[in-house]
Amino acid sequence: MMKILFLDQSGKPGGAELFLLDIAKPYRNNCLVGLFADGGFKKLLEQQEIPVQVLTNQVIKVSKESSLMEGLSSLNKLAPLINKVIKISQDYDLIYANTQKALVVGAIAHFFTHRPLIYHLHDILSLDHFSKTNRQIAVTLANRCASLVIATSQATKTAFIEAGGKPEIVEVVYNGFQSENYEIDESKINQIRQNLGIKQQFVVGHFSRLSPWKGQHILIEALTHCPENVTAILVGDALFGEEDYTQQLHKQVAELGLEKRVKFLGFQADIAPLMKACDLITHTSISPEPFGRVIAEAMLCKKPVIAAKAGGAIELIEHQKTGWLITPGNSLTLAEFINYCRQHPELSETIAQQAQIFARQHFELTTINQQIAQLLNQLMYSGEEMRKLRKEIFTADERK
Ligand code: UDP
Ligand code: GLC
């Protein structure tokens, strides 16, 4: 079995990291996940017995606004990390970069060790999400160093190509999920509703880290256009330094007098039972969502879902068949659809059922893991990499 060095810049469990947890698992006897920060994600990997190592204690600060100079100076500080990765990668067959900073470090290691580099692109490389410089760095390194870019959706692939990425190196692979994890005992669901005091309410769920572009404020605003018994639960925490936004949301709730109708539940490790306790799930991102794990998870839970019509969400949902797609950032439209869903329970049930069938067909983890294994095998044992490998063996033989 091939040996893989996975690299990820985050110590916290965002969507890209939860994805990595699932795809690294089949390789756990032959892989290492190298992280650029400590945190809860490391614990999750350890729980699954996936080898993990935190490779640096240095905080790597490259923000959306950072310039090339700032980027280069942070590269300087990264020297110990880069050296470590170069050394470690010599024991592995390939380097799998799961985030942008992992791509930068992985590309340098690839340069020195010639280990094939794969870039899993979880981001839409548009100016909504990235500075021009950061986008340019990602595309240039991917084009020059990566043998393969795996894009999280067609939308992600298109944005990569539009930013100058080579079309011939990109493949789309969706996130995968174990559908049985989204089947929950009815008694547990009732218990949750009872404990949260939402037994009689129409419960709208929002499951996402608290971040301005995830648009929790749109849902809060929408509640003011819904009847009193419509309640929202916000599951998630600020993961990447967005504490100001958290404060802002609490302030908004207080100013609108919605304290009894909005519950902040913080980060929850096990979201399925909570999702099952909702009547409807909303996704309110105001910038295009690259994939949107929460949408797929809502579908697997057989819950109707309203999502912002942009990015990956458009591939996941067929409007009025497997959910509803609405204009991003519009709280009035969101309220209209919440009310519509509430007033049409039978239609909502049918939509949720169709969504569950679709999600089980398209996002089953075993299939997704097979797709990735196939891409990695093709890369390692055919074509370019094989030619390079043969050349290396041939030159070594000649030297004998
Ligand atoms: N999630 C979680 N606990 C929470 C909030 C979110 O486990 O309290 C999970 C959620 O179920 C989803 C992931 O975090 O699987 C977020 O991924 P998504 O693609 O929706 O967004 P991202 O944060 O990666 O942009
Ligand atoms: C990123 C994206 C999210 C996607 C996740 C997994 O964090 O923001 O949309 O679902 O990666 O690919």
Side-chain angles (χ1 to χ4, degrees):
M1 200 183 203
M2 75 183 76
K3 293 181 75 185
I4 307 180
L5 174 63
F6 294 100
L7 297 176
D8 192 295
Q9 71 201 48
S10 176
K12 296 191 178 159
E17 288 68 38
L18 294 174
F19 167 83
L20 181 58
L21 193 65
D22 284 330
I23 63 146
K25 208 167 161 188
Y27 298 94
R28 66 182 160 193
N29 294 327
N30 281 292
C31 79
L32 175 68
V33 179
L35 302 181
F36 304 170
D38 205 343
F41 178 42
K42 182 181 167 223
K43 290 204 182 74
L44 290 177
L45 288 157
E46 283 167 348
Q47 277 164 17
Q48 305 273 338
E49 293 171 14
I50 300 168
V52 54
Q53 201 179 325
V54 177
L55 303 174
T56 180
N57 296 318
Q58 185 100 35
V59 180
I60 309 168
K61 252 189 127 186
V62 182
S63 69
K64 189 178 166 222
E65 293 79 25
S66 45
S67 67
L68 189 59
M69 278 322 285
E70 282 164 327
L72 288 176
S73 88
S74 71
L75 210 58
N76 196 19
K77 285 189 214 131
L78 289 183
L81 167 66
I82 291 170
N83 283 334
K84 211 181 247 180
V85 173
I86 291 174
K87 210 158 161 238
I88 295 174
S89 59
Q90 281 160 5
D91 292 331
Y92 291 84
D93 299 317
L94 66 86
I95 304 170
Y96 196 116
N98 197 50
T99 58
Q100 208 197 355
K101 287 164 205 164
L103 170 69
V104 175
V105 175
I108 301 172
H110 157 81
F111 180 79
F112 287 105
T113 64
H114 303 292
R115 296 297 182 271
L117 174 72
I118 292 183
Y119 179 30
H120 201 116
L121 179 58
H122 293 278
D123 298 305
I124 290 193
L125 291 176
S126 68
L127 297 178
D128 287 318
H129 292 280
F130 287 90
S131 72
K132 257 189 170 170
T133 315
N134 283 347
R135 187 175 71 159
Q136 198 53 48
I137 292 173
V139 171
T140 309
L141 290 179
N143 280 350
R144 298 243 171 107
C145 307
S147 305
L148 171 68
V149 174
I150 303 182
T152 210
S153 62
Q154 283 296 338
T156 306
K157 173 178 172 175
T158 305
F160 175 73
I161 295 168
E162 275 171 9
K166 284 196 220 156
E168 64 275 20
I169 58 171
V170 204
E171 296 286 344
V172 173
V173 177
Y174 288 138
N175 277 227
F177 304 84
Q178 275 174 283
S179 49
E180 65 270 21
N181 289 350
Y182 300 86
E183 282 159 27
I184 309 293
D185 212 51
E186 209 55 45
S187 62
K188 189 169 181 183
I189 300 169
N190 285 333
Q191 192 62 53
I192 291 176
R193 284 186 75 112
Q194 175 119 27
N195 293 349
L196 289 174
I198 50 174
K199 249 191 140 179
Q200 308 302 324
Q201 327 288 323
F202 184 85
V203 183
V204 182
H206 195 294
F207 292 72
S208 175
R209 58 197 162 90
L210 305 181
S211 173
W213 77 271
K214 292 291 188 180
Q216 281 86 355
H217 58 284
I218 307 289
L219 172 58
I220 295 174
E221 175 71 35
L223 285 190
T224 61
H225 307 290
C226 298
E228 278 285 314
N229 82 323
V230 178
T231 295
I233 61 169
L234 301 184
V235 182
D237 216 337
L239 288 189
F240 306 117
E242 299 102 337
E243 284 73 17
D244 284 358
Y245 183 63
T246 312
Q247 292 310 315
Q248 227 170 286
L249 291 176
H250 283 280
K251 201 166 155 237
Q252 184 190 11
V253 168
E255 278 170 7
L256 296 172
L258 292 171
E259 290 94 336
K260 291 211 175 93
R261 292 170 61 193
V262 180
K263 291 183 195 305
F264 288 89
L265 302 187
F267 181 85
Q268 300 287 329
D270 191 12
I271 55 104
L274 281 165
M275 238 181 207
K276 281 285 207 186
C278 297
D279 295 293
L280 164 70
I281 307 299
T282 53
H283 163 271
T284 57
S285 294
I286 55 175
S287 298
E289 184 71 56
F291 175 77
R293 290 175 61 87
V294 285
I295 301 172
E297 292 177 298
M299 293 168 120
L300 289 167
C301 282
K302 197 148 74 76
K303 290 292 156 185
V305 51
I306 302 175
K309 188 178 177 187
I314 299 172
E315 294 157 54
L316 306 193
I317 291 179
E318 193 180 330
H319 185 56
Q320 287 179 333
K321 186 166 180 232
T322 52
W324 292 284
L325 288 168
I326 62 165
T327 313
N330 190 328
S331 52
L332 257 179
T333 314
L334 177 59
E336 249 172 58
F337 276 84
I338 293 174
N339 290 327
Y340 182 83
C341 170
R342 199 173 52 84
Q343 286 156 359
H344 297 85
E346 277 171 24
L347 175 68
S348 301
E349 167 79 17
T350 309
I351 284 186
Q353 220 155 24
Q354 286 167 179
Q356 190 185 43
I357 294 169
F358 177 86
R360 285 180 173 171
Q361 279 168 353
H362 291 84
F363 311 127
E364 193 51 59
L365 183 61
T366 6
T367 316
I368 300 298
N369 275 342
Q370 276 165 8
Q371 286 174 9
I372 292 183
Q374 206 173 349
L375 286 171
L376 301 192
N377 285 334
Q378 268 168 14
L379 175 76
M380 290 301 290
Y381 305 122
S382 66
E384 194 55 21
E385 299 307 328
M386 201 58 184
R387 267 196 294 281
K388 275 191 217 154
L389 201 65
R390 277 202 210 103
K391 205 171 150 197
E392 271 173 29
I393 296 167
F394 187 66
T395 338
D397 279 350
E398 264 186 344
R399 271 194 236 114
K400 274 185 201 160

